[in-house]
Amino acid sequence: MRIDETHRGWFILSIVIFGAATAVYVIYALAAPHGPSGGSTIGLVFGFTGFGFMIYAALLGARKKVPIMRLGRAQGWMRGHLWLGLLALPLILFHGGFHFGGLLTRILLWLLIITVLSGVFGAIIQHYLPTIILERVPMETIYDEIDRVREQLSAEAAGFIAELSGGGGGGPEAVEVAADDRLLAGGASAMRARGGGSIQYGLSEEQIEPVRAFFETEMLPFLKNPDAKGSRLGEDIRSNAAFTKLRMLVPAAAHPVIANLENLCEEERQLTRQARLHKLLHTWLLCHIPLSLALMVLSVFHAIIALRY
Ligand code: HEM
Ligand code: HEM
């Protein structure tokens, strides 16, 4: 998810809550004869509110795992998660009066700080995930769909080659992929937009041979296995040079098709970058989730112990 205008409401609400809480805390801390403490009435209000925000944040996980709860506004939940999770930290600091206390509360506070910081880190990675590929699949499914998108890129490229040699349209393979793959509706329409119509290039087989050879020996292997080391198509600058060279080998009439092929390689590079970031995000979740679970369990302990004794 990106931190965009849709966050404005949450942002303003968070500022208001934070401002009000800070004002209450300052007045309360100055007035309290023995200084602020977690057990005072206001201290407890901060504790319960902060804990409530943490529970809301933790429910995101449950919401994802229980299919029925998945329906509706996942993005809305996620926005709430970010902002309320973030607010939990100052509220809990106000709750304890900025004291770290004994062993349990010290561990708790550090867990909270690390969980929130790790959350911010994850949100930043998500924010910068390249969005270009989004026209092909929705964000949530992208990781599972990467192989299919790769196949689609290959099929599209094959379609362009077929078109160049007079086959027209997107080529049989591309059409097949487009038809049987409703999930990738965005991709299919992109394909139509680019492949559109059977343009006659008026080029002989011989004239387009360099394009075909380039496609078969270099581009297709790259599209199929972009992680393999050594392909110049894997790097922006070298890919650029390769295509410039290819253009010089064929008549200008073929250049639009070459531009399409070049775009597909660019998309493949974006996809690879995206896959890497997703892997990173996945590893990151393996930190953020256990931390948050430990935090929630210990918080319940702390609340019970603190209220009992
Ligand atoms: C409903 C939830 C909570 C309740 C009822 C609660 C209750 C209390 C109470 C009664 C105290 C005062 C204990 C004392 O002075 O010895 C306290 C202190 C404190 N609580 Fe909580 N708490 C809650 C949630 C949390 C959470 C979620 C955290 C941290 C993640 C937290 C961190 C602290 C800290 C750091 C102190 C200060 C300890 C000190 O001054 O020695 N509390 N809490
Ligand atoms: C008390 C604080 C927090 C708790 C208990 C908490 C808990 C969780 C849990 C349980 C998940 C896993 C959801 C899943 O199953 O995929 C999660 C995901 C996430 N959290 Fe937090 N979190 C907290 C604070 C934050 C904060 C402050 C941020 C960012 C500012 C944040 C950002 C994220 C992000 C980006 C995800 C990944 C969501 C996705 O899968 O796309 N979290 N958090």
Side-chain angles (χ1 to χ4, degrees):
M1 103 138 45
R2 291 181 74 80
I3 319 284
D4 52 19
E5 320 78 64
T6 62
H7 282 256
R8 187 171 296 145
W10 276 108
F11 175 72
I12 293 170
L13 182 69
S14 303
I15 294 283
V16 169
I17 294 175
F18 179 70
T22 307
V24 169
Y25 179 76
V26 169
I27 295 166
Y28 143 77
L30 289 177
H34 306 290
S37 100
S40 66
T41 308
I42 295 182
L44 282 175
V45 170
F46 280 129
F48 274 103
T49 316
F51 194 41
F53 289 176
M54 287 161 58
I55 291 173
Y56 179 98
L59 281 179
L60 176 76
R63 189 189 168 280
K64 282 191 162 175
K65 268 157 209 88
V66 185
I68 288 175
M69 290 171 74
R70 274 174 98 135
L71 296 170
R73 295 156 300 169
Q75 295 285 304
W77 265 85
M78 191 56 218
R79 283 191 278 271
H81 179 94
L82 251 71
W83 292 101
L84 295 185
L86 199 57
L87 275 175
L89 182 58
L91 287 185
I92 292 297
L93 286 174
F94 293 162
H95 161 64
F98 290 89
H99 304 160
F100 277 61
L103 184 62
L104 178 60
T105 49
R106 185 172 293 272
I107 293 175
L108 264 176
L109 259 191
W110 278 113
L111 269 178
L112 180 63
I113 292 168
I114 298 170
T115 307
V116 169
L117 286 184
S118 85
V120 170
F121 175 71
I124 291 173
I125 310 179
Q126 282 205 343
H127 178 74
Y128 287 107
L129 279 180
T131 48
I132 188 108
I133 226 80
L134 278 182
E135 72 178 36
R136 289 175 185 273
V137 281
M139 190 64 132
E140 286 83 28
T141 53
I142 187 135
Y143 198 69
D144 307 328
E145 294 291 337
I146 275 176
D147 285 341
R148 273 148 77 86
V149 174
R150 285 209 167 121
E151 277 167 30
Q152 196 189 353
L153 292 181
S154 300
E156 246 176 87
F160 288 134
I161 296 294
E163 185 189 307
L164 191 60
S165 45
E173 243 185 291
V175 170
E176 194 188 302
V177 171
D180 89 323
D181 203 347
R182 303 252 136 67
L183 232 190
L184 304 181
S189 62
M191 197 181 305
R192 244 174 277 116
R194 281 209 219 98
S198 51
I199 309 150
Q200 282 308 318
Y201 292 93
L203 295 169
S204 69
E205 272 303 309
E206 208 174 312
Q207 283 173 309
I208 63 167
E209 182 50 30
V211 185
R212 189 187 291 283
F214 171 82
F215 172 70
E216 276 162 13
T217 59
E218 190 158 0
M219 185 164 163
L220 205 54
F222 167 68
L223 290 182
K224 295 231 143 113
N225 188 9
D227 299 319
K229 290 220 158 43
S231 174
R232 43 186 185 158
L233 299 182
E235 293 166 37
D236 291 342
I237 296 174
R238 292 175 68 207
S239 170
N240 207 329
F243 278 100
T244 305
K245 217 159 136 195
L246 180 61
R247 278 194 190 86
M248 292 194 288
L249 299 176
V250 295
H255 288 189
V257 169
I258 294 181
N260 285 339
L261 296 178
E262 190 168 9
N263 284 340
L264 288 178
C265 288
E266 164 67 21
E267 248 182 279
E268 178 59 70
R269 288 193 294 276
Q270 302 250 15
L271 194 63
T272 307
R273 262 173 237 141
Q274 181 128 346
R276 267 188 219 128
L277 279 168
H278 269 267
K279 228 176 242 159
L280 181 62
L281 206 58
H282 197 77
T283 317
W284 165 80
L285 264 182
L286 292 182
C287 264
H288 188 66
I289 294 181
L291 277 172
S292 71
L293 284 182
L295 174 67
M296 298 312 287
V297 171
L298 288 181
S299 292
V300 172
F301 267 112
H302 157 72
I304 293 172
I305 294 170
L307 285 181
R308 275 258 186 112
Y309 305 102

